[in-house]
Amino acid sequence: MSFICIDLGPETSSLFDRIKVPEGTVTEDRKHVTLFFIPKEVETVKNFYMAVEILRRVIGSTRPPTLLCSEVTTFSKGEDGFPIICPVRSIGLFEVRRTIAEAFDRNGVAYSKKFPKYQPHVTLGYTPEDIQGREMRSPIIWTANNVTHYFSSEAETNAQELSVDVPFAL
């Protein structure tokens, strides 16, 4: 599975780790906000390197967005249970994603378009039972530092696992 995301980093992740989740929840170890999912059918080293070059051009010249989470809720049940999430609000994040998507489309970089509406969120974990959504006592606000492209493919001759961090402009 390959994807492009904003990793939260240890300080911000620790804030999300303090949010209470139901007993039996399988927690997400590496907190992030997904920007793009890359389907297995198009996971190639060439697609990875093309995407990284575009990310370097776009992210390297873009000021980092500020992100805000103020509620805890769930998505519909999937094969791992109900994803417990914190929806992310950020105008800058939507602009960054749109700019990257346009550059990917112009340059033939493949990514999933399964969900036509982008719903950025931080996944806290997966629980067998649905939970009642709630506002957080204190919102979590942070500024993104970089975008990370995680590449993991067994589709080619050799299994590959790579990641590249691309910092935002200051």
Side-chain angles (χ1 to χ4, degrees):
M1 173 177 84
S2 297
F3 63 101
I4 299 168
C5 68
I6 293 175
D7 275 322
L8 271 54
E11 298 86 8
T12 306
S13 285
S14 70
L15 298 172
F16 284 94
D17 288 339
R18 295 180 194 162
I19 297 171
K20 293 203 182 291
V21 295
E23 191 82 24
T25 297
V26 177
T27 57
E28 185 76 29
D29 291 331
R30 188 167 208 149
K31 307 277 189 302
H32 63 274
V33 178
T34 302
L35 293 168
F36 298 94
F37 174 73
I38 314 299
K40 283 185 178 187
E41 304 78 45
V42 296
E43 286 180 322
T44 64
V45 174
K46 179 181 178 184
N47 198 64
F48 171 75
Y49 283 114
M50 287 175 55
V52 167
E53 284 309 309
I54 291 168
L55 290 172
R56 285 188 174 137
R57 284 196 312 267
V58 173
I59 300 305
S61 62
T62 302
R63 302 212 14 102
T66 298
L67 300 95
L68 176 137
C69 289
S70 62
E71 74 175 297
V72 178
T73 189
T74 59
F75 279 143
S76 300
K77 187 175 184 177
E79 61 185 53
D80 295 325
F82 290 92
I84 302 173
I85 62 148
C86 295
V88 173
R89 292 187 290 186
S90 171
I91 293 170
L93 179 64
F94 280 92
E95 291 172 3
V96 165
R97 187 179 185 282
R98 180 187 49 77
T99 302
I100 295 169
E102 288 171 354
F104 282 177
D105 291 342
R106 275 194 313 276
N107 291 280
V109 174
Y111 60 94
S112 175
K113 297 179 183 176
K114 179 179 178 180
F115 301 105
K117 182 180 177 194
Y118 178 53
Q119 297 182 57
H121 61 278
V122 175
T123 302
L124 301 178
Y126 297 85
T127 183
E129 302 295 322
D130 199 1
I131 65 165
Q132 181 70 35
R134 66 183 190 276
E135 290 292 316
M136 295 165 52
R137 242 186 309 180
S138 299
I140 299 174
I141 302 170
W142 76 102
T143 301
N145 293 320
N146 58 43
V147 168
T148 304
H149 190 328
Y150 289 99
F151 174 80
S152 178
S153 177
E154 295 177 18
E156 297 184 13
T157 325
N158 299 321
Q160 308 264 342
E161 294 213 8
L162 306 166
S163 70
V164 174
D165 293 329
V166 181
F168 282 97
L170 297 179

